[in-house]
Amino acid sequence: MDALRIVIADNESIIRMDLKELLEEAGHTVVGEAPDGVKAVELARKYHPDLVIMDIKMPEMDGITAAKIISNEKLSPVLLLTAFSQKEIVEKAKDSGVLAYLVKPVKEANLFPAMEIALSRFQEFAELERELEEVKNSLETRKVLDRAKGILMDAYSLTESEAYRRIQQYSMSKRKSIKEVAVAIVDSATRKR
């Protein structure tokens, strides 16, 4: 595993200290430490670390709530630590967007594989979101392109392929994307009405 920039959050300073030592001995950098969830979210926003490792039970804001904020803002993957392995806590952790979960006491043999899983899942989710965005963008382009072709077909008695060719030629000559040209055609036709 490459060296990571990590934020640690636990209300027990001894646990933070032990965890920091374990991580730094493995070549990672702890960029911030937090005694509560509020500070953990602040540090995640400030540093955009590669990973946030935090306890569930903390004052002011618990780890599950903080993890949900960090996950929703897509700041970094979160690995939750807890002294409890009750089913309802595990369910809440899953719903918060946490990508890995460890029961204390943290052992090196469990920590590093859990970190790798959290990082891997975070990357998979990011890739899925990118793909989804591409599909949405492609669908939007297709919809506006179809409308623009229809407008040109009606206005100039063109076939669909002729209308598309005109949009394509204009796109190349003006160095604009086909979507930009199609949007301009649709906007122009809408304003004329």
Side-chain angles (χ1 to χ4, degrees), residues 166-178:
R166 282 206 186 169
I167 293 169
Q168 198 175 32
Q169 288 169 343
Y170 192 81
S171 164
M172 289 188 289
S173 72
K174 296 297 181 184
R175 298 183 189 270
K176 294 193 177 287
S177 71
I178 286 181

Side-chain angles (χ1 to χ4, degrees), residues 7-20 32-40 43 52-59 61 63 79-83 102 104-106:
V7 166
I8 300 170
D10 196 306
N11 61 320
E12 295 180 42
S13 58
I14 292 172
I15 291 176
R16 285 197 317 266
M17 191 173 62
D18 288 345
L19 199 50
K20 180 177 181 176
E33 296 181 49
D36 58 62
V38 172
K39 185 73 174 163
L43 291 172
V52 174
I53 300 174
M54 84 175 107
D55 189 23
I56 286 181
K57 300 280 186 186
M58 291 188 291
M61 179 189 293
L79 168 60
L80 274 186
L81 305 176
T82 184
L102 272 180
K104 292 179 185 178
V106 176

Side-chain angles (χ1 to χ4, degrees), residues 138-152:
S138 178
L139 185 58
E140 286 174 20
T141 300
R142 182 105 222 114
K143 286 163 92 174
V144 74
L145 179 59
D146 285 345
R147 285 187 64 201
K149 286 189 299 188
I151 290 166
L152 292 180

